[in-house]
Amino acid sequence: MERALVIGGSGMLAETCHWLEKQGYEVYVVGRTTSKMAKLLENSQNIIPLYTDYRDVNDFKQKINQTFDWSLVVAWIHNVPENPMKVLLDVLFNQKSTCDFYHVLGSSSNLNTIKEKLKTPKNCTYHQVQLGFILETGYSRWLTNQEISKGVIEAFKLKQPTYIVGQLEPWDQRP
């Protein structure tokens, strides 16, 4: 069975987790909020909660450092001083098999700078999913959780190095 690790899956990526489950993945979800996790686990068979806050890097590493390899990783990790991304990459470096790594990033992220700074393992195919906004008649708004999940799923299907959900321009009209 293929195993997916989703960091941020109990919130905005919940629908992504359910979709992965329907595709046959055993889905491990990192989350710190028990109420969100409980809602995610309703009616699911192959979603396994990993209760941790990724800012607690020791506990985070213990939770994601499983005895098996991840075939798919989705990471919505904010830039914090504790550097959980380094912890995640260290775990992936120690894998024997390949994985697809989808890094979910905010609208103001500089994708090239992030890609240059990250030292991704050779056994991982690195993808960036950048979240934008929606410009509607006369106003703009941020993406809904459903739109974000649909966009991440589309990124899985297309397997492009970079995928933008919503739009990033015109920048001065973002919410």
Side-chain angles (χ1 to χ4, degrees):
M1 174 175 279
E2 291 192 293
R3 293 179 178 95
L5 173 65
V6 183
I7 302 160
S10 62
M12 69 179 207
L13 295 172
E15 287 185 37
T16 303
C17 294
H18 288 294
W19 184 86
L20 287 168
E21 181 183 28
K22 287 177 186 164
Q23 304 311 303
Y25 283 88
E26 188 173 66
V27 184
Y28 291 74
V29 179
V30 172
R32 64 179 188 264
T33 309
T34 54
S35 60
K36 283 184 182 179
M37 193 70 82
K39 186 172 174 56
L40 176 70
L41 296 174
E42 290 175 5
N43 303 315
S44 62
Q45 304 291 315
N46 283 314
I47 295 180
I48 296 96
L50 299 175
Y51 292 101
T52 188
D53 183 339
Y54 60 67
R55 293 173 292 190
D56 179 349
V57 291
N58 292 326
D59 190 53
F60 177 59
K61 183 174 185 173
Q62 179 189 358
K63 294 285 182 358
I64 67 170
N65 198 16
Q66 302 290 330
T67 57
F68 48 79
D69 289 349
W70 303 111
S71 50
L72 176 72
V73 175
V74 183
W76 171 242
I77 296 178
H78 296 281
N79 190 12
V80 293
E82 296 84 0
N83 203 359
M85 186 60 77
K86 182 182 179 330
V87 172
L88 173 61
L89 291 173
D90 287 347
V91 167
L92 296 178
F93 265 108
N94 290 319
Q95 286 197 171
K96 291 179 178 55
S97 60
T98 61
C99 82
D100 281 309
F101 176 31
Y102 287 84
H103 192 184
V104 182
L105 299 153
S107 62
S108 62
S109 298
N110 184 319
L111 302 186
N112 289 330
T113 301
I114 291 169
K115 189 174 183 177
E116 289 169 7
K117 287 183 179 180
L118 280 183
K119 291 181 174 66
T120 54
K122 290 186 178 155
N123 61 324
C124 290
T125 304
Y126 180 68
H127 308 268
Q128 293 175 315
V129 181
Q130 190 167 26
L131 306 178
F133 60 92
I134 301 292
L135 188 58
E136 295 181 325
T137 312
Y139 74 98
S140 63
R141 63 171 177 80
W142 294 118
L143 298 164
T144 65
N145 289 351
Q146 184 178 24
E147 291 166 336
I148 291 167
S149 278
K150 282 183 179 180
V152 171
I153 292 164
E154 188 65 19
F156 295 158
K157 292 175 181 177
L158 295 174
K159 294 188 177 275
Q160 297 172 339
T162 303
Y163 186 78
I164 297 170
V165 183
Q167 63 190 76
L168 300 173
E169 299 290 332
W171 184 252
D172 64 337
Q173 291 189 28
R174 66 187 166 87

